[in-house]
Amino acid sequence: VQVVESGGGTVQAGESLTLSCEVSGPSSRYCIGWFRQVPGKEREAVAIVQSDGTVKYKESGKERFTISRDSGKNNLLLKMHNMEPEDTAMYYCAAHPGSCPYCDDRFCIPDFNYFGQGTQVTVSS
């Protein structure tokens, strides 16, 4: 299974950025999620979407973020608007064959099987 992220970079506060994730592998459907991690802190879930496009988890208080996935396709877009310095992190995309695990902001049970290399997002004030 390959998980490939793209779209990270450095932006100014108030600007927008879109992250893209593409998943390829033997399964016909994958649950796909975006996670975020800053050094010294635990990984946090940002958004998780099952293969039919149903959003299974979205981080609360982040109405500035929109998530989109074409039904039946193994891609996931994370659009971040009006960005803030606190959004600075390494963002990882992850895939799990079949149905989505149960996730809260910190844990998924079972955990996602496949993670990408990550893409750095930096927001300067």
Side-chain angles (χ1 to χ4, degrees):
V1 178
Q2 284 192 317
V3 181
V4 180
E5 306 104 334
S6 62
T10 300
V11 297
Q12 297 284 327
E15 294 183 339
S16 299
L17 197 65
T18 297
L19 304 183
S20 177
C21 176
E22 294 286 339
V23 177
S24 59
S27 179
S28 61
R29 58 189 187 100
Y30 290 92
C31 174
I32 303 176
W34 279 104
F35 297 82
R36 172 179 60 234
Q37 189 166 24
V38 296
K41 292 190 176 182
E42 293 182 340
R43 185 188 73 195
E44 299 176 320
V46 178
I48 295 165
V49 181
Q50 67 183 32
S51 59
D52 65 358
T54 301
V55 178
K56 300 299 288 184
Y57 174 85
K58 188 173 182 293
E59 184 179 12
S60 62
K62 284 292 193 287
E63 290 75 20
R64 301 180 288 109
F65 291 4
T66 58
I67 196 83
S68 63
R69 177 176 183 177
D70 294 331
S71 180
K73 294 189 177 180
N74 291 324
N75 63 351
L76 189 64
L77 294 179
L78 176 64
K79 299 180 180 181
M80 301 179 286
H81 306 284
N82 193 22
M83 296 187 72
E84 301 174 355
E86 67 180 29
D87 299 326
T88 295
M90 184 71 82
Y91 285 74
Y92 296 92
C93 183
H96 186 89
S99 300
C100 288
Y102 168 78
C103 294
D104 61 18
D105 60 335
R106 299 289 182 184
F107 302 103
C108 289
I109 301 173
D111 200 1
F112 276 70
N113 305 78
Y114 307 99
F115 283 81
Q117 293 296 310
T119 185
Q120 177 67 39
V121 172
T122 302
V123 184
S124 58
S125 58

